[in-house]
Amino acid sequence: MQNRKEKLVLFIILFFLFISIHMQFPVFTPLAVSLGAGSFLVGVMLSTTSFVNLTGNIVAGSYIDRFGARLFIVIPLFLLTLSLFAHTFIEETAHLFILRVVNGFILAFLTPACMTMLAAYAKNSHEQSKNMAMNTLMVTLAMTIAPMLGGFLGERFGADGAYYAISFTSGIAFILAFCFLSNPRTRNRRGKKSQGILQLFFYTPLLPVFLTGFAVMFAQGTLMYELPFLSVEQGMTKGLVGRMAGVMGVGTLLVLAFVFIHRISATVRTIIGLCMLALAQCWMMMAGVVPPYASLLLFGAATGIIFPAMMTLVTENIGEGDRGKAFAFLSAVFSVGTISAPFIAGAVRTFLSPYYVSWLVLMVVITMMGLLLTTKRKAVVI
């Protein structure tokens, strides 16, 4: 009963956390441009944030397994609230750059800690899949509401007003975590030897997860980089850009409404989701500057399939005592995708569609996934 209550609180915390993260989406790029940043500098800021996140992930995993997830949820949420509130005082691009770096380091601990705690509440693979699907639902609801809310607040009250609301939202998450969360009991499964976080890079069962994580975040990073420029270059309002981002959340919610989907093999779901994602990126590439709403809907549906499947694959292939490291390493892989996407998009967008590069990355990963599965099947037959 206590675990069920804490799991519910954790879902609510994840909802508020991702609300605060994604409310910045339609506000950040116009704010950076207003401070004098060009498109390439915006890409560098986003990439640097993710690079710091990557560095922090490598450090975070071992400490989460050693000291428990709660500590690395409560303290980072408090620091994130302060950091987001500090955005209301910035006057130069250097200030914005520093705060983005701080946010990246904080999230390096926060995200894997939340995933580790959530994984500890499941007793079997079926429960694990349902928990991860519920987590995706909460995150998607946040991602659907947040950009529209951020766009509205940015238009009505400016960047300062938006960041007041953003910091207040993360503050609610901190209070909930401090008052209601405790460390679930975990134990290493028999036969599962504890591994160092860098050893996970060579851990074959998780290789498909890491490839998928990189491809998804590269595609998502490309889209999150390109959409805000519609308000800068095409004259679209922040609210309209926020609504376009919200369409992706609707696609994810539609997929998650099919509750039977978590009964399908996580590997099969991952492959299907990657193919849908590649199709969505190809559609955007062919459509021109403004992505069609239907392509955004398909993109969101694909992520709704992929993310729960990825998280389930992690928990199926790693012992409880190593999950902090595994989720931290996966977050590091996410960061690599997020780092490279805006950097490459900013570098090539004047002569090549960033959506084409993203589609190419997805197709390479799909091919590698097929080769890995074929090799695994042959090994089983032999």
Side-chain angles (χ1 to χ4, degrees), residues 20-32 34-35 45-46 49 78-107 157-168 170:
S20 64
I21 291 172
H22 290 280
M23 274 176 70
Q24 300 176 70
F25 167 66
V27 180
F28 175 77
T29 297
L31 174 61
S34 71
L35 293 171
M45 281 197 281
L46 293 173
T49 304
F78 176 71
L79 296 176
L80 183 66
T81 302
L82 296 180
S83 173
L84 291 171
F85 184 72
H87 280 71
T88 61
F89 298 99
I90 60 173
E91 297 178 351
E92 300 176 10
T93 53
H95 300 158
L96 187 60
F97 185 85
I98 291 168
L99 287 175
R100 293 292 297 184
V101 169
V102 170
N103 285 353
F105 191 74
I106 291 169
L107 290 172
F157 304 105
D160 284 356
Y163 273 104
Y164 282 130
I166 291 167
S167 59
F168 177 76
S170 63

Side-chain angles (χ1 to χ4, degrees), residues 45-126:
M45 281 197 281
L46 293 173
S47 296
T48 303
T49 304
S50 300
F51 179 76
V52 173
N53 189 267
L54 165 64
T55 307
N57 286 145
I58 295 172
V59 176
S62 298
Y63 286 103
I64 291 169
D65 287 330
R66 189 181 306 172
F67 298 109
R70 182 184 182 275
L71 182 67
F72 296 99
I73 295 175
V74 173
I75 294 177
L77 277 173
F78 176 71
L79 296 176
L80 183 66
T81 302
L82 296 180
S83 173
L84 291 171
F85 184 72
H87 280 71
T88 61
F89 298 99
I90 60 173
E91 297 178 351
E92 300 176 10
T93 53
H95 300 158
L96 187 60
F97 185 85
I98 291 168
L99 287 175
R100 293 292 297 184
V101 169
V102 170
N103 285 353
F105 191 74
I106 291 169
L107 290 172
F109 288 84
L110 188 53
T111 307
C114 287
M115 291 301 98
T116 302
M117 181 173 283
L118 181 59
Y121 291 129
K123 297 177 182 177
N124 52 54
S125 178
H126 182 68

Side-chain angles (χ1 to χ4, degrees), residues 23-271:
M23 274 176 70
Q24 300 176 70
F25 167 66
V27 180
F28 175 77
T29 297
L31 174 61
V33 171
S34 71
L35 293 171
S39 62
F40 183 72
L41 182 56
V42 172
V44 169
M45 281 197 281
L46 293 173
S47 296
T48 303
T49 304
S50 300
F51 179 76
V52 173
N53 189 267
L54 165 64
T55 307
N57 286 145
I58 295 172
V59 176
S62 298
Y63 286 103
I64 291 169
D65 287 330
R66 189 181 306 172
F67 298 109
R70 182 184 182 275
L71 182 67
F72 296 99
I73 295 175
V74 173
I75 294 177
L77 277 173
F78 176 71
L79 296 176
L80 183 66
T81 302
L82 296 180
S83 173
L84 291 171
F85 184 72
H87 280 71
T88 61
F89 298 99
I90 60 173
E91 297 178 351
E92 300 176 10
T93 53
H95 300 158
L96 187 60
F97 185 85
I98 291 168
L99 287 175
R100 293 292 297 184
V101 169
V102 170
N103 285 353
F105 191 74
I106 291 169
L107 290 172
F109 288 84
L110 188 53
T111 307
C114 287
M115 291 301 98
T116 302
M117 181 173 283
L118 181 59
Y121 291 129
K123 297 177 182 177
N124 52 54
S125 178
H126 182 68
E127 275 190 32
Q128 205 68 261
S129 186
K130 285 182 11 183
N131 285 350
M132 294 307 171
M134 187 63 183
N135 166 63
T136 304
L137 176 63
M138 290 292 102
V139 171
T140 302
L141 281 172
M143 290 174 66
T144 305
I145 298 167
M148 294 185 282
L149 185 57
F152 169 77
L153 291 172
E155 284 183 345
R156 191 76 181 270
F157 304 105
D160 284 356
Y163 273 104
Y164 282 130
I166 291 167
S167 59
F168 177 76
T169 305
S170 63
I172 294 174
F174 160 70
I175 292 170
L176 289 172
F178 182 79
C179 295
F180 295 105
L181 290 186
S182 60
N183 282 317
R185 292 180 181 178
T186 60
R187 57 185 177 81
N188 275 316
R189 293 177 184 171
R190 290 180 182 179
K192 294 280 186 178
K193 185 181 177 182
S194 182
Q195 305 182 66
I197 188 167
L198 294 178
Q199 288 179 292
L200 292 173
F201 183 78
F202 303 101
Y203 189 54
T204 307
L206 290 181
L207 184 56
V209 182
F210 299 147
L211 285 172
T212 302
F214 172 78
V216 172
M217 294 312 293
F218 190 94
Q220 200 169 73
T222 299
L223 192 57
M224 293 300 103
Y225 176 82
E226 282 294 303
L227 283 184
F229 275 102
L230 295 176
S231 65
V232 177
E233 298 175 346
Q234 303 299 317
M236 292 186 177
T237 64
K238 296 173 186 174
L240 180 56
V241 173
R243 285 193 291 275
M244 290 181 72
V247 169
M248 292 188 291
V250 173
T252 306
L253 291 174
L254 288 174
V255 165
L256 294 174
F258 297 100
V259 294
F260 60 84
I261 201 167
H262 61 264
R263 297 181 181 276
I264 301 172
S265 162
T267 303
V268 173
R269 282 182 281 153
T270 301
I271 295 291

Side-chain angles (χ1 to χ4, degrees), residues 192-367:
K192 294 280 186 178
K193 185 181 177 182
S194 182
Q195 305 182 66
I197 188 167
L198 294 178
Q199 288 179 292
L200 292 173
F201 183 78
F202 303 101
Y203 189 54
T204 307
L206 290 181
L207 184 56
V209 182
F210 299 147
L211 285 172
T212 302
F214 172 78
V216 172
M217 294 312 293
F218 190 94
Q220 200 169 73
T222 299
L223 192 57
M224 293 300 103
Y225 176 82
E226 282 294 303
L227 283 184
F229 275 102
L230 295 176
S231 65
V232 177
E233 298 175 346
Q234 303 299 317
M236 292 186 177
T237 64
K238 296 173 186 174
L240 180 56
V241 173
R243 285 193 291 275
M244 290 181 72
V247 169
M248 292 188 291
V250 173
T252 306
L253 291 174
L254 288 174
V255 165
L256 294 174
F258 297 100
V259 294
F260 60 84
I261 201 167
H262 61 264
R263 297 181 181 276
I264 301 172
S265 162
T267 303
V268 173
R269 282 182 281 153
T270 301
I271 295 291
I272 292 172
L274 284 171
C275 291
M276 290 171 61
L277 208 58
L279 180 60
Q281 291 284 267
C282 183
W283 194 347
M284 293 173 192
M285 173 180 64
M286 301 299 290
V289 179
V290 182
Y293 280 98
S295 67
L296 294 169
L297 199 70
L298 180 61
F299 190 101
T303 57
I305 292 173
I306 291 172
F307 275 105
M310 272 197 304
M311 300 305 178
T312 302
L313 285 173
V314 171
T315 55
E316 285 177 350
N317 289 287
I318 202 77
E320 290 180 10
D322 285 328
R323 282 180 184 165
K325 300 184 192 75
F327 282 116
F329 194 88
L330 182 59
S331 296
V333 172
F334 286 165
S335 296
V336 173
T338 309
I339 289 167
S340 51
F343 184 80
I344 292 173
V348 306
R349 70 192 306 270
T350 55
F351 60 89
L352 183 68
S353 170
Y355 298 128
Y356 172 73
V357 179
S358 178
W359 174 81
L360 201 60
V361 168
L362 283 164
M363 294 308 296
V364 169
V365 169
I366 289 170
T367 303

